Amino acid sequence: MSDIAFVAYSSQNEDLKRIIFEATRLTNSHPLQIKFTPWEFNDIAGSPLISPIVNKIDASPFIVADITYLNLNVIYEIGYAIGRSKRVFLIRNRGVDGDKSLASKAGIFDTLGYHQYYNETDLSDRLTAHIDTTPIPINFQLNRKSQIYSVEPPARGLAEKVLLSRLRKAGYSYIRTFNPDEDLRMSATDAIRQVAESSGIAVPLQNPSTNDAELQNIRAMFVLGLADGMNKPRLAIAPVGYSAPLDVRDTIRSYRQDSDIAEAVADFCPQIVEYSTQIDVAEIPSSTNLQSLDVGDPRAENEMTTLGLYYLRTHEYERALAGEVNLVVGRKGSGKTALWISVRDKTRSDKRNIVVDLKPEGYQLIKFKEDILVHLTEGAREHLITAFWEYLILLEVAYKLLEKDKNSYRHNHDIYDLYVSLEDAYRAPDFTSEGDFAERLSRLSERIIQEYRRVFGKEINQKLNAAQVTQLIHSHDLRDLRQKISAYLQHKKSVWILFDNLDRGWNTQGFDALDAIVLRCLVDAGRKLEREMRREDHVFHCIVFVRNDVYDHLMRHSTDYGKELRAVLDWSDPDLLREMFRLRLVAALETSEDTSFDEFWRDICVPHYKGEETSTFMIERSLMRPRNFLKIFSHCKGFAINFRHARIEEKDINKGIKAYSDDLLQELDRELSDVHPEAKDLLYYFLDSKSKISRDGLRELISSSGIQEDSIEKIIQFLLYYGVVGINSNGSDYFIYNVNYDPKMLNMRMQRDNESNYIINPAFWPSLNISVSSEEIVSRSEYE
């Protein structure tokens, strides 16, 4: 008796349906041990569609899925099959564009790999050939400290914020997430690992009218399929009226208001507890040493509970911990959040310290800017936003004091009266402290907006005096609140205010003058409170973590530019990145701390790739950012695991570097357009170009993208600053990180050497199909 292989595909294109249907008929006419059954054969009248499909997937040795068009049900079935430890053979029609662009943006599928075909004969020939039925291994131990995984959408609204807030309020403080602001493309390998390590998965689905809802729903359906395939508890929410895909329609929790989400979370949490208590992680085997190797997550937010085991304590970390800085700046992926977590955890380890760790995301302040700040004079803006930050910081310090001592103040006569007095001052009549920081920030912003509209309407160039600012901002007697906080702090050691994420999710059209005011006024408010508290003999530190390029762009024309005490996270030493990675290997393998990087590396990766030492090859393409090095390794490791290699081989590096390059292209394009909106999509104009570009050639290329002549030089400097291009001079290549991040050194080399050229960073060569000599890079065909 023959085995049955399930075939999934979209019904969107009739010609494509016919090709796949005919290909399965031709294939089944051969005397094979496998017969292929299209999904339509499982459409049984009177039965829920998902039931026979799931049954067929469970019974199949592998499934075939066409991704020419990204049908949400098919994506769910791909995830479900992987979760059931089934081999998934992906196919795509070469002659139809379909959803190719959308698939590239979403990620997932290129990290799984797929076969391309032209017609029914071509597809049938491939189906009759040998198909490896070995599934992707998913043997990962549960993460007991961070039990929930969630997929955040590109456009986050109140519902998505409430979902995560309610989960945290339920006691799940550390939630691992896919965050599209940090990783524009989802890696299938990473999603599989994240779901496998979870005791619960929570994802929002969005109406098609929401920006980038297609991307969100594709990723969400893949993760839901993985969760169902692995029998994981999961919660999927969607707004009332959303037309859910058939495969999950009966399991979606619809919401109309916040209370509906809160009720769904309340029902979901007991399932997480039950699952985590039933699973014995000690019995989960690992198929290879590489499979079991966990060097942490490229995103520090997803390794909050483990980062302390292997964090590399740099000089910048020591300066921040000593309270010597009020700003930590660094490029995206340079380790700002890792430093933020490490400083927070170290200071919090002393119970006498008050640590207020705040992660306001830019989108939470956009409405505040649009509804108030645009109507004010410049002076009024600065006055209002500084008062806003000062008020917010004091409220959060009071909140943290009350939260920290809520279970002990009754038994401590030293603070009992102070606690009661502070609690009375904090709980003003029209002030609500429920929820997490994101909810409190949103409610405070909304209250100020409503009060402003009531008093001033939409009057332009509005001036505000001190009394009007006080009326708008404060629900509390601020002087009384500050005094009571100060009195309480006599019984504490120090206060640390740590702001991260301020630049995340800001206006996608680029940062503007209002963003500069928001950032500058936050720094000013922190300084002011530091001075006031120190005059009263309190140790008080306020540190803001922000992207280096954003800070430079926003603050360059500020009178305070350069006056702040900054720690700059710029990596230029490859050996320091190796040490960062070595510490992770020591922790993962629980081996001697004296073991060298080279001893580890030769056991997990081939030593050379096209004649170059492999760790050097990866680091040179990381743009000297720790996160990127980890991402390159993760991609290469993922392909090695998928093909059941005991260590990373050359073919795995081929595929891993290509997947990473595709990620980097989109991420750097976003970074550039964040601070220079007219440069959006500029990197795509480098497609099919040469690796070396003359001075005039680069200017012509930039001009062809529509950028005006008077902006071209500025754009070139941005490309140099980001490491997208470097200088080839006297036979050597120099990028920004090779010259200690001093662009003047690059410009001087270009100026002195008339034969010099610009060179595109090799990290982008695979994704942009850059033409280079065979000595410089393997041919494009080897990346296919």
Side-chain angles (χ1 to χ4, degrees):
M1 181 176 178
S2 299
D3 288 326
I4 302 297
F6 179 74
V7 183
Y9 50 90
S10 168
S11 59
Q12 181 173 341
N13 184 302
E14 289 296 328
D15 290 337
L16 192 65
K17 280 177 57 180
R18 181 191 58 77
I19 289 173
I20 296 173
F21 199 86
E22 184 63 18
T24 59
R25 188 190 66 79
L26 289 173
T27 305
N28 288 336
S29 67
H30 290 77
L32 302 174
Q33 290 298 312
I34 295 289
K35 296 299 181 183
F36 295 86
T37 175
W39 71 267
E40 291 163 294
F41 287 4
N42 299 282
D43 190 3
I44 302 171
S47 132
L49 182 63
I50 185 61
S51 298
I53 287 178
V54 165
N55 292 338
K56 284 294 184 183
I57 293 175
D58 286 342
S60 298
F62 64 90
I63 75 164
V64 178
D66 185 90
I67 56 170
T68 309
Y69 292 94
L70 298 182
N71 176 275
L72 293 181
N73 290 304
V74 173
I75 293 167
Y76 171 87
E77 290 152 17
I78 292 170
Y80 179 84
I82 293 173
R84 300 299 287 172
S85 293
K86 303 290 183 179
R87 168 80 160 100
V88 177
F89 184 69
L90 299 182
I91 57 175
R92 191 184 186 286
N93 191 285
R94 284 183 183 271
V96 180
D97 280 342
D99 290 329
K100 187 176 183 179
S101 176
L102 184 60
S104 176
K105 291 179 181 178
I108 301 174
F109 307 104
D110 52 356
T111 54
L112 289 172
Y114 52 86
H115 169 74
Q116 298 193 75
Y117 64 93
Y118 286 106
N119 52 37
E120 55 266 38
T121 303
D122 185 19
L123 178 56
S124 178
D125 288 345
R126 182 61 189 87
L127 294 180
T128 55
H130 173 70
I131 295 178
D132 183 5
T133 60
T134 305
I136 296 173
I138 52 174
N139 299 320
F140 297 91
Q141 293 195 348
L142 291 183
N143 187 325
R144 295 292 187 176
K145 295 182 178 179
S146 180
Q147 294 183 294
I148 296 177
Y149 177 62
S150 181
V151 179
E152 295 187 64
R156 290 178 288 275
L158 182 60
E160 291 78 21
K161 185 168 58 181
V162 169
L163 174 63
L164 294 181
S165 175
R166 291 296 169 182
L167 287 168
R168 292 189 179 104
K169 190 173 182 180
Y172 299 102
S173 302
Y174 302 113
I175 299 174
R176 290 168 289 114
T177 66
F178 171 81
N179 187 314
D181 290 333
E182 298 296 331
D183 298 302
L184 296 188
R185 289 159 32 89
M186 174 178 278
S187 161
T189 304
D190 182 65
I192 293 166
R193 177 177 65 85
Q194 296 286 7
V195 173
E197 291 180 354
S198 300
S199 297
I201 291 85
V203 297
L205 293 161
Q206 295 185 316
N207 276 325
S209 58
T210 304
N211 288 340
D212 290 324
E214 274 186 310
L215 288 175
Q216 170 61 13
N217 294 341
I218 287 169
R219 293 164 180 157
M221 289 295 287
F222 179 68
V223 167
L224 287 174
L226 290 172
D228 286 349
M230 298 182 206
N231 292 317
K232 301 279 185 175
R234 52 83 161 175
L235 171 63
I237 66 167
V240 169
Y242 171 71
S243 180
L246 286 173
D247 285 359
V248 297
R249 182 165 295 175
D250 294 337
T251 59
I252 297 294
R253 292 294 294 262
S254 298
Y255 65 85
R256 191 182 303 276
Q257 51 197 9
D258 293 359
S259 59
D260 298 330
I261 300 175
E263 182 180 337
V265 169
D267 294 339
F268 176 52
C269 288
Q271 300 174 42
I272 301 172
V273 175
E274 182 180 2
Y275 181 87
S276 63
T277 55
Q278 290 179 352
I279 299 297
D280 183 1
V281 298
E283 296 180 358
I284 299 178
S286 293
S287 50
T288 66
N289 290 334
L290 191 64
Q291 162 73 15
S292 63
L293 179 63
D294 182 5
V295 295
D297 196 289
R299 287 185 56 229
E301 293 91 337
N302 285 344
E303 51 179 8
M304 285 190 179
T305 59
T306 57
L307 186 62
L309 299 175
Y310 42 72
Y311 181 70
L312 177 61
R313 290 163 175 78
T314 61
H315 176 60
E316 290 75 18
Y317 163 79
E318 299 295 346
R319 288 186 64 207
L321 194 60
E324 296 176 1
V325 302
N326 52 31
L327 272 169
V328 174
V329 297
R331 286 164 169 77
K332 186 176 180 181
S334 62
K336 295 186 304 300
T337 298
L339 196 153
W340 178 87
I341 293 169
S342 299
V343 170
R344 181 200 65 178
D345 290 350
K346 179 63 176 178
T347 53
R348 199 163 59 180
S349 64
D350 188 333
K351 301 303 182 183
R352 297 170 297 172
N353 291 335
I354 300 300
V355 183
V356 183
D357 50 330
L358 305 175
K359 296 172 76 72
E361 297 196 13
Y363 69 87
Q364 295 166 345
L365 299 172
I366 290 175
K367 189 172 178 61
F368 186 81
K369 288 166 46 183
E370 293 175 345
D371 287 8
I372 294 183
L373 298 186
V374 295
H375 301 298
L376 302 178
T377 62
E378 184 172 348
R381 288 171 182 168
E382 295 189 12
H383 189 187
L384 180 68
I385 201 67
T386 301
F388 172 82
W389 284 126
E390 182 182 0
Y391 180 51
L392 180 67
I393 292 172
L394 284 173
L395 287 176
E396 291 303 312
V397 171
Y399 177 86
K400 186 63 70 173
L401 285 166
L402 296 172
E403 180 189 50
K404 190 178 183 69
D405 291 338
K406 66 181 179 181
N407 296 322
S408 62
Y409 79 95
R410 291 184 179 87
H411 312 293
N412 188 336
H413 68 274
D414 289 331
I415 65 170
Y416 180 85
D417 291 338
L418 293 171
Y419 187 98
V420 173
S421 178
L422 179 59
E423 187 174 36
D424 290 342
Y426 178 69
R427 305 194 187 283
D430 58 344
F431 176 75
T432 302
S433 61
E434 292 296 319
D436 64 3
F437 173 67
E439 289 182 279
R440 295 194 298 275
L441 175 57
S442 292
R443 280 196 296 268
L444 176 60
S445 301
E446 186 61 36
R447 183 186 62 75
I448 295 172
I449 289 169
Q450 292 176 359
E451 181 64 15
Y452 182 88
R453 287 173 177 168
R454 185 185 69 80
V455 177
F456 300 107
K458 295 185 178 180
E459 185 176 343
I460 303 299
N461 293 326
Q462 178 67 46
K463 296 180 180 179
L464 299 176
N465 58 38
Q468 290 171 320
V469 169
T470 299
Q471 178 186 356
L472 281 175
I473 297 291
H474 304 154
S475 291
H476 301 75
D477 182 334
L478 198 61
R479 176 178 295 182
D480 179 58
L481 182 64
R482 185 188 289 110
Q483 288 174 348
K484 290 179 176 178
I485 289 174
S486 178
Y488 205 111
L489 292 179
Q490 297 294 337
H491 298 272
K492 301 298 178 183
K493 183 178 179 181
S494 64
V495 177
W496 292 80
I497 313 295
L498 306 175
F499 272 96
D500 192 22
N501 275 17
L502 187 65
D503 50 19
R504 185 175 297 166
W506 264 344
N507 195 337
T508 55
Q509 300 303 311
F511 306 120
D512 55 28
L514 291 181
D515 295 319
I517 292 174
V518 170
L519 175 58
R520 188 173 66 246
C521 290
L522 172 56
V523 175
D524 289 345
R527 282 184 191 154
K528 180 183 177 183
L529 285 172
E530 282 183 357
R531 290 193 301 268
E532 290 176 351
M533 291 297 179
R534 287 174 182 176
R535 280 198 297 265
E536 298 173 24
D537 294 327
H538 303 306
V539 179
F540 194 101
H541 301 288
C542 183
I543 307 177
V544 179
F545 295 71
V546 68
R547 266 172 50 186
N548 198 0
D549 51 337
V550 172
Y551 170 77
D552 286 344
H553 182 67
L554 295 183
M555 303 292 283
R556 186 168 298 278
H557 303 295
S558 168
T559 56
D560 290 331
Y561 181 77
K563 293 182 181 179
E564 299 83 7
L565 297 172
R566 289 183 293 166
V568 181
L569 299 181
D570 283 334
W571 298 68
S572 57
D573 185 353
D575 286 336
L576 204 58
L577 283 176
R578 290 188 181 91
E579 177 62 10
M580 175 274 297
F581 197 84
R582 188 191 72 84
L583 291 174
R584 291 169 177 261
L585 290 171
V586 168
L589 299 174
E590 298 180 348
T591 188
S592 169
E593 294 189 7
D594 296 329
T595 307
S596 70
F597 174 86
D598 290 337
E599 288 178 89
F600 283 128
W601 190 254
R602 61 174 173 254
D603 287 337
I604 62 176
C605 184
V606 292
H608 294 92
Y609 174 77
K610 302 298 179 181
E612 187 172 350
E613 197 278 322
T614 47
S615 70
T616 299
F617 180 87
M618 293 181 188
I619 289 172
E620 286 181 348
R621 283 151 182 77
S622 72
L623 278 62
M624 294 303 295
R625 304 185 189 186
R627 181 188 297 168
N628 287 356
F629 183 27
L630 291 171
K631 289 180 76 169
I632 293 172
F633 178 80
S634 177
H635 277 305
C636 295
K637 174 192 166 190
F639 283 108
I641 291 172
N642 292 352
F643 292 103
R644 304 186 71 79
H645 295 155
R647 66 175 181 173
I648 296 171
E649 305 290 346
E650 283 199 15
K651 288 184 178 181
D652 305 319
I653 297 175
N654 275 348
K655 296 176 182 294
I657 287 291
K658 173 59 170 65
Y660 161 74
S661 186
D662 290 342
D663 290 348
L664 187 67
L665 178 65
Q666 294 190 32
E667 289 171 6
L668 262 292
D669 185 70
R670 168 76 69 84
E671 277 192 69
L672 284 166
S673 58
D674 274 348
V675 296
H676 223 49
E678 61 266 44
K680 180 174 171 50
D681 295 333
L682 170 64
L683 298 188
Y684 292 91
Y685 284 82
F686 287 87
L687 188 66
D688 299 323
S689 66
K690 301 290 185 182
S691 62
K692 294 177 184 176
I693 306 178
S694 68
R695 307 170 196 226
D696 291 340
L698 182 59
R699 297 183 71 89
E700 289 174 7
L701 187 149
I702 294 172
S703 177
S704 70
S705 72
I707 292 174
Q708 299 300 310
E709 180 67 29
D710 57 358
S711 295
I712 289 179
E713 186 58 36
K714 183 165 55 175
I715 294 297
I716 291 175
Q717 294 307 310
F718 268 92
L719 294 174
L720 289 169
Y721 181 87
Y722 283 95
V724 176
V725 300
I727 304 297
N728 176 262
S729 176
N730 295 320
S732 297
D733 298 337
Y734 301 91
F735 292 95
I736 191 74
Y737 39 81
N738 301 132
V739 295
N740 202 29
Y741 296 89
D742 184 355
K744 292 179 182 178
M745 296 187 71
L746 295 177
N747 290 324
M748 183 58 68
R749 289 185 184 278
M750 178 63 81
Q751 182 179 326
R752 290 191 313 187
D753 182 5
N754 292 330
E755 302 299 319
S756 61
N757 292 296
Y758 293 104
I759 181 168
I760 300 171
N761 196 305
F764 297 94
W765 291 355
S767 58
L768 291 173
N769 197 27
I770 299 298
S771 176
V772 292
S773 65
S774 59
E775 289 79 12
E776 293 177 289
I777 190 172
V778 294
S779 67
R780 175 68 176 182
S781 63
E782 291 190 75
Y783 283 101
E784 295 292 343

